[in-house]
Amino acid sequence: MRLVFLQLYSSILSFLLLPHALGTYLKPGLQSVTSGTHTFYNCNARSGLLIFQLQRLRASLEPALHDLDDPTSSAAFKAFFKDIDHAPFVRRVIENITTGAPTSTVDGSDKTPSFVCLDGPGQVKTTDGDIDLYTRCSDQQEDGGDGLVASAMVESPDKPLVAICPSFFRAPFSLQRINGPCLKLHGGYFTEDGSSLVDRQMWILMHELVHFYLFWGSGARLDFYSVQECLALKKNKTVENVANYVFYAARSTTRVKMVIPPSAADSSPSSPVHPQPTDSTFADGSQEEKQPMPTRTSLLTRLWQKSGLNIGMLAIMFKGALAPTIAIALFQSTAFANHYSTLGYLVAIMSILSFGIMPRAKFVQTMLFNIIGICIGFCITLLSIFCSVQARAHTTPPLSTGPKSSTGGPSPGASVAPYNSSASAVCAIWLFFNIYVSNTLRASRPQLQFPVIMYSIFANVASTYAPQFATMTQGIAFGRRLFEAFLTGFAIAIAVSFFVFPLTSRMVVLKTTTGYIKALSNALKAQSDYLQSLEDRNAFGPPSRREDEAHRGKETEKSRSPQDTQGISLQSTPEAKALKAAIGVITELHGKISGDLAFAKREIAYGKLDASELSEILKLMRQVMLPIIGMSSVADIFSRVAERQRWWIHEDDAPENLGRSDEVKEMEKEQWSEIMRTLHQPFEVLTGWMNQGLQHVLFTLELEEDSMKQRKKTAHTSNDNSPDLEARGNDIGPGDKRFAGVLSNKIDQFYEQRKITLDTWCRHKGLDLQHQARQQSGSGSNKAIADHQRHQRQLYLILYMEFLLWSSGRAVLDLVKFADAKVEAGTMQKKRLITPGTKRVTKWVSAALSTEDSSADHSPDTSESTVVTIKIGDAYQKTKDPEHLPPTSAWQRFGNAIRTISHILGSQESAFGFRVACATLSIGIVAFLRDTQAFFIQQRLVWAMIMVSIGMTVTAGAGVFGFVGRVAGTVIAVCTSYLIWYVVDGKMPGVIVLLFAFTFCETYFVLKYPRFTVIALISVVTQVLVVGYELQVQKVGVQVTQSSGQPAYPLYVLAPYRLACVSGGMLVAFIWTFFPFPLTARSQLRKDLGASLYLLANYYSCVHTTVRMRLDGSRGNPQDKTSPERRLDKARAQVFTKELALLAGLRQHSAFTKWEPTLGGKFPRQKYDTIIEEVQNILNYMSLISYALSILQYDDENDPEQTSWLKTFGQLVRSVDLTSHELTSTLSLLSAAVTNGNPLPPYLQAPEPYKLSAKLEAIDADILNISHIAEPGYAAFAVMQIASSLISDDMGKLIQNVKSLVGEVDFSFHIISSSDEARETKVGPRRKTD
């Protein structure tokens, strides 16, 4: 790096040594752009980049000017200028740079530097013609110094110029913060020369401007380059050396801490000094203590940071551990223990499974279902006990002299009787019926997951004890105690949920909203980084073979095969991956907040924002999300361009003669990188202001603390993308009521600036779409047609990116205005009681009883959450019966009702319920046989049955994961039980404290790693079961404990028994998941993929209708909730959210397929993942088309000239067939093929894109004239063109991938010649086979 830095400055110095008397010749006729006091020659579109860098430079010099107000306390000033008497001169030089003021030269004239961009010979040279500056730049590049010459100062008496070589634009744009800006010290020596700090475009421009003001102000021309040499200069030479100014300014901006020893004041360059770190006073006046060399943080600190713990998470962990601890502590009360006897442990179990850490609305709904389910279970239990008692009475002789009932029993007043086969058979039948019905309901209603588990536990416990009761009095006593134990556990969970760190669904929604807004901000930053990475032409593909050989050597290049270069993709760069990851976070949060919002609307709360306002916030955030997702597709677009243009393949490596040389490819890549550099400045500025706008929303809606310190930090340090915020000259920032006006002005400035950028680019390209369109349709040459198409693609992509960024800015502004409106209306001043209306309560009741979209929150096991149930509409689930016409009479309708029973019994939900019932009875049968009933009771095998009810899943992949997870959780619980009991030697107070501590830690995994919730829950339940049972034995005594027929084992024996019991139950559940045929995650993945294709067809149908409605003017009043557009927007948003949720579930499903045992050929998981990504891409592009069309909603009263063009454009669009139902039909066909596993029909082709450009040009060639490119409608048209092309491209890939899965119907036939049986002729259409 030192060599690069010194070569850079030696090249600049060679230009400075040009004879002054010769003067400079500037080629006449060069296009010029003036900004402020500076003029830019021949820079064209790059003028914007230079102007932007000068603006950044001025803002970055402000800290240095503040530092110069008191240079006596500045370590940097003492280091680089040594004498405070130099401060006025240094300040004048820096002020001149910030203002661009001319300076009086030695000849008495005022001089202001101009800039000239060199891109060819003869543009700037000395008056005698001996030196051509472009040749000097080129010589540096040919000598292997590409990028070393960044700029040169041309000192001419008549016109001072700063010459910008082409390599300047390949220099780093800005300081990368990943490694930090500080210069490294080792043993008191700088290990760097300072190039990492100042070899950026902005500082290079400052270097040249300092040259100008020093030379033309005082004739100084000293140039020492490295930081060591700068620090070693004598004090009278420091103000004459250019690099001292640059290092001083860079230090003031980036806070590099250094001081120079006193002896250095009289040193010379031949005796370098060795700076040391010291205390420093920064430009803002803040003090920083002396910092030693970086030291390694403690292990405890690193663990805390890595854990992600915070106060909120600790509170929820405390809450999760408190409920079972209270239940165990209550059992130490004599009255409590006497009442519940041997059923007391169930109180603690129910307090855990009630999951009191859920948000309030979800908890209340689940708890209501729990209570209702247990009440129903109690009633059915009494009915089954009654049937059992009656069976015993009818099969026992009246004068029987058999043994009488024993005095012991599972609960007080519930003594047991001898074995009776009839009673056992009746209870077994009732158990099978209970488990079958409840789990069938569980499979069809995801919101009933927890209640069904509670019901199953109640049914299992009651049914296995019921055969032992001889009278209803005994049965009722047992059932009542069991019922009370469940309700007591529920009551403890309710108390903890409501009164200990209460967590409402509104709090979750607001917290998720905060994360959503921050995720949008992170996506904007990732988007900016990705676009900046495209400024390097090598980002579009590997360098040419000549460059590759020059930099890497022939041996390295030869070792690379064409296949290696084809595998590279623009989407695999770190910036592209970061952008994709940021978009993934946004879509995940969007799906989560959509599900949580439904619960937040239903609950009674004390807050500021009501349900409608929360819905509006989500709607506005979705409007910000859509264009950001569209911008993320730029990586996909460039990857397709690179693939089609073969940028990744060298000319000599191409498998065939493609007619495209490396020089042509390099030219195309350089054009694209130049376009991205042109767009950098306006994009970065607007992105920075958008980030500020999102921060303003957080402050205004009180989602984050709005302190002056936080506001200042956000305005001056956190926003790297908007440096001009520091120089705006006022205190308007996020949280200020005037901020919306500032943001609106910035968006308007971006809109105006994009006109200049587009105009400059078009003039630079010499582009006239109208003229070239005529050439294309007329007698234009092939080269002219190719140029037209290439320029049009570039123009459309520029418009695509600018429109989406501008749209994002407008959406952020709408969000800011909404937040400000809430403040002005007084909504944010005080909290109020918010209650759901009657309509919302009615909708909640109906939704709670109908099929509801499932999520992980409904399931206690995240392995079950992979089965994402989405209500996708009756059109998909209900098909017309080809064997029956619709009923026309009462008898026919009665017959249909009878047939419904067979449909229910034959459904997949019924099959799942039957499997669970069979698995449960596989273990439960032991409790109903004479020889094994006592063994069942003694070894507590009822918990193996309970594990079956909890552990059975609808797919084998989840079953494998659940089996491994539950066994692992039980093993962990056995180990923790030993620790809890024996560390304190079984002393009750210590046991309870340790139980709380371990449960507290295990709750962390529930919160931090939701995928492993099952392991944490099983661990908690098992350790509470084991430890609670031992405490129960201590409290009630061994005799009472054994009265239920269960021996009192010590803990070291009981824990392994519990492990074996749970493992056995999970093994049975695992077997019945595969038997008699496996319900695999792979088959479920295929069916869900078909459902996602159906939803995609549904969404496109909504988009199609939206397009038609907006074009023919039938959308109605957008403010009316009953208008067609509002209803359609709501339907489209619902389908979009459902599709996002389903795609997330599909990705989880795909991940679980690797856990399934494979018999036969491998599962094509990669093919499924590809189809899922293609569906996601098509969904994004469809949403972009709908979003872009919103621009066509023009208003006659606003901007009549613009409205006139939009009207004309809309009329022409309506006159052509913009949309078709062909795409809907194709997606529906693909959905049916994937769902049912049927082959596709032959010759299925992807629908063609709109080709709207050609149709409009055929009707009116002027409508797409270059003069209209600044119109928003023109940009919307470009978005539609690009999105429709991408949809068509992805549809073709989607059809091919689906075809490779399900096959294609082949109607061709073969004729075998009778004369030669080996000869075979294929007759029929010839098609390419896959």
Side-chain angles (χ1 to χ4, degrees), residues 218-518:
S218 62
R221 55 184 302 113
L222 195 62
D223 238 341
F224 289 100
Y225 321 119
S226 70
V227 65
Q228 291 92 339
E229 293 172 322
C230 292
L231 293 171
L233 289 173
K234 295 181 179 180
K235 63 180 180 179
N236 61 330
K237 293 295 184 181
T238 55
V239 292
E240 299 180 4
N241 189 55
V242 175
N244 282 57
Y245 293 83
V246 179
F247 278 118
Y248 169 67
R251 177 265 165 214
S252 299
T253 300
T254 57
R255 295 186 172 187
V256 179
K257 301 178 290 296
M258 59 187 67
V259 73
I260 188 168
S263 59
D266 299 324
S267 62
S268 62
S270 61
S271 57
V273 297
H274 313 306
Q276 303 288 339
T278 184
D279 297 348
S280 180
T281 300
F282 296 127
D284 57 5
S286 61
Q287 297 287 335
E288 181 173 60
E289 297 180 357
K290 182 175 181 179
Q291 297 183 358
M293 296 296 289
T295 58
R296 187 178 180 85
T297 57
S298 65
L299 177 62
L300 185 61
T301 302
R302 294 198 306 273
L303 290 176
W304 176 267
Q305 294 173 349
K306 190 174 182 179
S307 67
L309 287 171
N310 53 57
I311 299 299
M313 185 178 293
L314 291 174
I316 300 300
M317 291 166 59
F318 177 87
K319 186 175 181 178
L322 184 61
T325 306
I326 292 176
I328 293 295
L330 280 175
F331 199 81
Q332 306 313 307
S333 168
T334 302
F336 189 94
N338 292 336
H339 183 79
Y340 290 105
S341 186
T342 58
L343 296 178
Y345 70 95
L346 287 173
V347 176
I349 300 302
M350 290 304 105
S351 68
I352 297 171
L353 295 181
S354 296
F355 222 59
I357 62 176
M358 285 192 300
R360 181 180 299 166
K362 295 181 181 179
F363 176 78
V364 169
Q365 174 177 302
T366 303
M367 184 55 65
L368 286 175
F369 283 125
N370 286 345
I371 295 173
I372 294 173
I374 295 305
C375 290
I376 296 174
F378 183 36
C379 297
I380 295 181
T381 295
L382 293 180
L383 179 59
S384 64
I385 293 176
F386 173 79
C387 295
S388 173
V389 170
Q390 292 300 313
R392 176 186 290 271
H394 286 83
T395 56
T396 301
L399 300 179
S400 175
T401 59
K404 299 180 180 180
S405 299
S406 64
T407 56
S411 66
S415 57
V416 297
Y419 176 82
N420 183 275
S421 60
S422 299
S424 297
V426 169
C427 290
I429 293 172
W430 272 108
L431 176 62
F432 186 91
F433 173 79
N434 276 334
I435 299 300
Y436 166 73
V437 173
S438 60
N439 282 275
T440 299
L441 191 63
R442 169 188 174 186
S444 62
R445 297 295 185 270
Q447 62 269 32
L448 299 181
Q449 294 282 353
F450 274 110
V452 168
I453 289 175
M454 302 294 189
Y455 182 91
S456 299
I457 294 175
F458 195 96
N460 280 304
V461 174
S463 297
T464 52
Y465 277 106
Q468 303 179 71
F469 302 136
T471 65
M472 280 300 297
T473 302
Q474 299 169 353
I476 292 174
F478 170 76
R480 184 174 62 249
R481 290 291 189 273
L482 185 62
F483 183 62
E484 290 174 352
F486 273 70
L487 292 183
T488 304
F490 293 164
I492 294 174
I494 292 173
V496 171
S497 177
F498 276 62
F499 301 110
V500 179
F501 300 116
L503 178 66
T504 66
S505 295
R506 292 173 57 84
M507 294 169 61
V508 173
V509 167
L510 293 177
K511 189 69 175 177
T512 309
T513 300
T514 303
Y516 196 141
I517 293 176
K518 290 183 178 180

